[in-house]
Amino acid sequence: MPVTKDSPVSRTPFPEIDITVPHSARVWNYWLGGKDNYAVDRAAGDQYRELFPQIVDTARAARYFLARAVRFLVGEAGVRQFLDIGTGLPTVDNTHEIAQRVAPDSRIVYVDNDPLVLAHARALLTSTPEGTTDYIDADLRDPATILSSATRTLDFSQPIGLFLIGVFGHVPDDDEARSIMRRLLDALPSGSYLALADSINVGDAHREAARRYNEGGPVAYRLRSLEQIAGFFDGLDLVEPGLVAVSRWRPELSPFDGPHVETTLGGVGRKP
Amino acid sequence: MAIAADGEGVMGAIQAGGGQRDAAAFDYRRAGPTVSRMVVGAHLRRLREVAQVTREQAAEAIRSSDSKISRLELGRTGFKPRDVTDLLALYGVSDEDECATLLAMARQANTQGWWHAYSDVIPGWLEAYLGLEAAASLIRSYEAHFVPGLLQTRDYAHALIRAGLDDLSEAQVDRRVDLRMRRQQILHQPAPPRLWAVIDEAALRRPIGGAAAMRAQLRRLIETAELPNVTIQVLPFSVGGTPVGMPITVLRFPEGELPDVVYAEQLAGALYLDKPADTDLYEHVMNRLGTAAAPQKATAAILSRILEET
């Protein structure tokens, strides 16, 4: 049967937002003090925090790392294009806001595969008139789609800042993770940067909290070792101070400074 | 029906937590009394709890009852400067800046919002909304039948208000239209709130005020959608079936400790909800509508097409 404009089968279905299992973007939103989360996310976030109370500081520290890394790239390194994979729900300082505060003409592509995140990003993460923001509905495991869609907005002959903040644990297979990273980095021109933060499998309480969280039914998150995360920077020149606890990466004096969190590492590497 | 209240929850479930930084960052000069009262009240409750003072002890210090302390802390009543001073002394707050800030906020909480000048045409249940809307940093709104008030043209608003249930004189209709136009100024003020509106296509197809007025209204929507702080999404007919038909507004405040407030207008009253257990469902509906409705670029095309067809 041909699908015509008026046929019932052509009706766009409502996207499902599953609020019966925790969702990582919403749990992070809860830890960061946001309100775009549901009871199931708050329960999962509370359970995690009971076992590993530093998770709230960790979540904040990872956001501040993102902010400092963006400021470093747009300020010292002169980068004007950003590819932010695993956008998450909008929070106080989002990638394009930080970049466009310094350089209003910055172009930012946000990538996520969650309809809720995408709807919030499209509605709330809007650009300055001088710059551009775009939104790609794609999975991290599909770099081909990410890269081809990003060409709508980004000039791949000029340096690009690639951001992967707390997302690579969603690709548990090491070979696949390395392959995705290689394909993404291969597409970037010389002078581009990778900014990556991820949690490592240290600390009994931390590991136990992560294990219990994964049992709760969300898309699982795998904690890697320091060496495995360092491996993601293969072929890049790490800028000072290297791969360190996110809170120790180029710290700035800030009234929001929390304690150092050693369970989440961050680094920025330059493609030679 | 006045504000539908379930006793302790509605407009009162202010979470403890946060700190003085939040209170200082909160722009109480713009907020009007409703939200200022909630913020000052929440702050006083936090200070009392930190000082481990009971409500009874606090009541004694201001020669009053513990239920008065409850009302003060829930932001349901104004503040006497002397009471605030006495409470701060009881709670051991001696920092001059902190005391001065809180007293200034308490004064602001006692002043009247700009909308007080329209009190002759404001039903009691709407007044709190005006205070909350003026203080919001994010206004999410869904309308199935009408263009949202913040986006209406004068002619559209006039036709809509005159067609309403109330038996109003022409002068009263004009006053209500004036009030609605005055509300819209928040979208153009410095550091304006963000408006995220989902409008059902049905609301755009009903020519309120006639075809010419509706075309002007559609052009206004197209223009306003260009503002950096306004996101308009049309829920097109091609999306078969919607989870709700009632208008919903969700207000979020710059002060992190204040909960989101859901405002749901009814025929002769309005529901204000602010406990997560109550607001989750409404936010879920808004999220589903936001994901199903056409994104901004597609919405611009839909608005232009409807304009051509009107």
Side-chain angles (χ1 to χ4, degrees), chain B residues 199-282:
Chain B
I199 310 172
D200 196 286
E201 183 173 347
L204 307 173
R205 295 287 185 184
R206 185 188 297 280
I208 301 221
M214 197 61 207
R215 280 194 296 273
Q217 176 63 71
L218 288 162
R219 280 193 291 271
R220 167 73 61 85
L221 288 175
I222 292 168
E223 285 162 24
T224 314
E226 297 284 317
L227 289 177
N229 58 312
V230 174
T231 299
I232 298 175
Q233 289 183 263
V234 172
L235 186 69
F237 286 150
S238 60
V239 175
T242 73
V244 286
M246 62 185 288
I248 297 172
T249 300
V250 182
L251 301 170
R252 180 165 295 173
F253 304 97
E255 241 239 345
E257 78 185 63
L258 290 183
D260 286 0
V261 174
V262 169
Y263 173 77
E265 202 165 294
Q266 298 168 349
L267 274 183
L271 208 58
Y272 293 80
L273 307 169
D274 68 356
K275 285 190 293 193
D278 297 327
T279 58
D280 264 12
L281 182 61
Y282 289 85

Side-chain angles (χ1 to χ4, degrees), chain A residues 223-254:
Chain A
L223 300 179
R224 289 192 159 85
S225 69
L226 186 156
E227 292 73 22
Q228 285 167 324
I229 289 172
F232 289 135
F233 289 92
D234 280 352
L236 305 179
D237 301 326
L238 274 171
V239 303
E240 287 297 318
L243 181 63
V244 294
V246 277
S247 52
R248 297 184 191 279
W249 194 89
R250 298 183 178 233
E252 296 164 359
L253 273 181
S254 151

Side-chain angles (χ1 to χ4, degrees), chain B residues 24-54:
Chain B
F26 174 71
D27 188 354
Y28 57 86
R29 285 158 304 207
R30 191 190 276 169
T34 317
V35 168
S36 294
R37 279 205 306 263
M38 291 163 69
V39 171
V40 173
H43 201 75
L44 285 174
R45 185 178 80 179
R46 205 165 47 238
L47 291 171
R48 178 176 60 75
E49 286 168 354
V50 168
Q52 298 187 323
V53 172
T54 65

Side-chain angles (χ1 to χ4, degrees), chain B residues 4-255:
Chain B
D6 68 358
E8 43 108 29
V10 175
M11 302 255 297
I14 296 169
Q15 307 291 322
Q20 297 160 27
R21 188 179 74 243
D22 296 331
F26 174 71
D27 188 354
Y28 57 86
R29 285 158 304 207
R30 191 190 276 169
T34 317
V35 168
S36 294
R37 279 205 306 263
M38 291 163 69
V39 171
V40 173
H43 201 75
L44 285 174
R45 185 178 80 179
R46 205 165 47 238
L47 291 171
R48 178 176 60 75
E49 286 168 354
V50 168
Q52 298 187 323
V53 172
T54 65
R55 284 201 186 87
E56 290 74 13
Q57 290 165 329
E60 205 171 302
I62 62 165
R63 309 146 295 273
S64 182
S65 66
D66 56 336
S67 70
K68 171 75 180 292
I69 295 292
S70 282
R71 287 199 304 277
L72 281 175
E73 292 182 352
L74 289 172
R76 300 219 181 114
T77 174
F79 304 93
K80 287 186 201 146
R82 186 181 157 196
D83 289 351
V84 175
T85 310
D86 290 348
L87 288 175
L88 290 175
L90 178 66
Y91 302 156
V93 179
S94 54
D95 183 86
E96 276 182 35
D97 285 347
E98 189 178 356
C99 291
T101 301
L102 211 60
L103 278 164
M105 290 174 71
R107 263 197 307 280
Q108 173 66 18
N110 292 336
T111 62
Q112 288 153 343
W114 60 262
W115 50 90
H116 186 73
Y118 294 89
S119 54
D120 54 321
V121 289
I122 299 176
W125 47 265
L126 180 65
E127 192 183 340
Y129 177 78
L130 297 172
L132 295 170
E133 183 183 76
S137 58
L138 173 64
I139 302 166
R140 290 176 73 178
S141 132
Y142 166 67
E143 288 274 357
H145 299 291
F146 309 119
V147 169
L150 286 174
L151 298 170
Q152 290 173 9
T153 63
R154 176 170 279 278
D155 288 347
Y156 183 98
H158 194 274
L160 192 60
I161 289 168
R162 203 166 44 185
L165 276 177
D166 297 333
D167 193 15
L168 301 172
S169 70
E170 199 55 30
Q172 285 172 314
V173 171
D174 285 341
R175 293 274 293 155
R176 285 208 183 175
V177 173
D178 287 346
L179 168 67
R180 193 160 298 176
M181 297 300 112
R182 174 64 182 77
R183 271 174 59 201
Q184 296 178 358
Q185 288 182 15
I186 57 168
L187 295 181
H188 305 281
Q189 72 197 8
R194 176 173 284 273
L195 172 66
W196 179 3
V198 174
I199 310 172
D200 196 286
E201 183 173 347
L204 307 173
R205 295 287 185 184
R206 185 188 297 280
I208 301 221
M214 197 61 207
R215 280 194 296 273
Q217 176 63 71
L218 288 162
R219 280 193 291 271
R220 167 73 61 85
L221 288 175
I222 292 168
E223 285 162 24
T224 314
E226 297 284 317
L227 289 177
N229 58 312
V230 174
T231 299
I232 298 175
Q233 289 183 263
V234 172
L235 186 69
F237 286 150
S238 60
V239 175
T242 73
V244 286
M246 62 185 288
I248 297 172
T249 300
V250 182
L251 301 170
R252 180 165 295 173
F253 304 97
E255 241 239 345

